[in-house]
Amino acid sequence: MTLNCIAVDDEPLALGLVCAFIEKTPFLQLAGRYSSAVEALQGLHDNPVDVLFLDIQMPDLTGMELARVIERSPSGQAPRIIFTTAYNHFALEGYKVDALDYLLKPFNYEEFLRAANKAKAYFELVKRPVAALATAAPEPEDEYLFLKVEYQLVRIAFNDILYIEGLKDYVKVHLRKERPEAVPKPILSLTSLKALEDKLPARRFMRVHRSFIVALDKIEAVTRNTIQIGPATIPVSDQHKDAFNQFLSRWS
């Protein structure tokens, strides 16, 4: 993240120092430098920025007065202010105009950087939700679900499911063997097949019958109207045949 900044100070040496500090800081970009608050006000109108490093004691329009003008701006894009001043008695007024920080002259680069980091942290917090919607990669899909079995929740890995059978008010989840000699016991859960279908990733599971959902990667063979998964033969109903045939077309 790069923050666009301007510096305002009627003292040339102080203005030069702040500008040098801005240019030295990787995440800050110097967008303008002004020797009066009046000039800065016009500059802000033409080119809104993120951060304003602002002296307070200046002729014509003081930094504090400029801060109050900015605060009342209807644009909603007022920059965050970091005051740079030789007078500590302005701290309370700075708080009233919601200044981000208050640098007391003479300050060194370490003190400047601490204030700049505060600005960076603020804008990361404010802008992250928008950036996340635009650029963030999708979160990895869960690889399991929880089913209520008797009086407990049981975690079932998607990869362990062979097929699911609907039995009136229950579903029976048939699982793969963990070891060749093992005989996995199907899991019974008091839920509907439709409710369970909604929890399963569509790219891995498909409803093929009023009473069956199959794990697509566990299919071993198909006929015109049936699916073979291990020793089980699962019917494909007319209602779901088109969707299943569309899936099969990717194989051929």
Side-chain angles (χ1 to χ4, degrees), residues 132-148:
L133 288 174
T135 63
E139 293 185 2
E141 188 176 62
D142 287 339
E143 293 298 320
Y144 56 84
L145 58 77
F146 283 94
L147 279 182
K148 188 173 183 181

Side-chain angles (χ1 to χ4, degrees), residues 52-230:
L52 172 58
F53 291 91
L54 181 60
D55 185 28
I56 293 179
Q57 289 287 75
M58 291 182 289
D60 299 326
L61 185 70
T62 70
M64 197 62 66
E65 289 169 339
L66 175 59
R68 294 193 187 100
V69 171
I70 291 171
E71 190 180 28
R72 294 192 296 268
S73 171
S75 68
Q77 297 180 342
R80 294 309 308 269
I81 294 171
I82 297 176
F83 281 121
T84 60
T85 180
Y87 305 95
N88 58 14
H89 61 271
F90 287 113
L92 180 58
E93 289 186 68
Y95 175 79
K96 289 179 180 179
V97 295
D98 197 26
L100 194 62
D101 210 340
Y102 190 97
L103 289 170
L104 191 61
K105 298 176 182 177
F107 51 85
N108 57 30
Y109 181 66
E110 182 182 355
E111 293 169 304
F112 174 89
L113 185 58
R114 185 161 55 243
N117 278 323
K118 189 180 292 187
K120 181 172 180 284
Y122 168 82
F123 280 100
E124 284 177 342
L125 183 64
V126 168
K127 294 184 177 181
R128 184 179 297 136
V130 176
L133 288 174
T135 63
E139 293 185 2
E141 188 176 62
D142 287 339
E143 293 298 320
Y144 56 84
L145 58 77
F146 283 94
L147 279 182
K148 188 173 183 181
V149 180
E150 295 181 348
Y151 299 104
Q152 60 183 344
L153 288 174
V154 176
R155 189 171 104 157
I156 302 172
F158 291 147
N159 195 46
D160 288 340
I161 299 174
L162 298 174
Y163 63 96
I164 304 165
E165 186 178 359
L167 302 170
K168 203 172 182 180
D169 297 329
Y170 288 82
V171 295
K172 182 187 287 187
V173 182
H174 296 263
L175 303 173
R176 68 185 179 91
K177 296 180 181 181
E178 294 182 1
R179 302 181 306 278
E181 68 274 15
V183 181
K185 183 179 180 180
I187 290 177
L188 283 173
S189 178
L190 182 59
T191 187
S192 69
L193 202 63
K194 178 64 172 69
L196 189 52
E197 181 183 10
D198 292 341
K199 296 179 181 178
L200 296 168
R203 65 182 181 83
R204 299 183 64 172
F205 296 89
M206 181 178 289
R207 183 87 169 259
V208 296
H209 189 275
R210 180 184 60 180
S211 301
F212 290 97
I213 295 172
V214 299
L216 296 172
D217 64 339
K218 302 300 191 300
I219 296 173
E220 298 175 9
V222 296
T223 66
R224 183 177 178 183
N225 295 310
T226 64
I227 294 169
Q228 197 73 30
I229 298 180

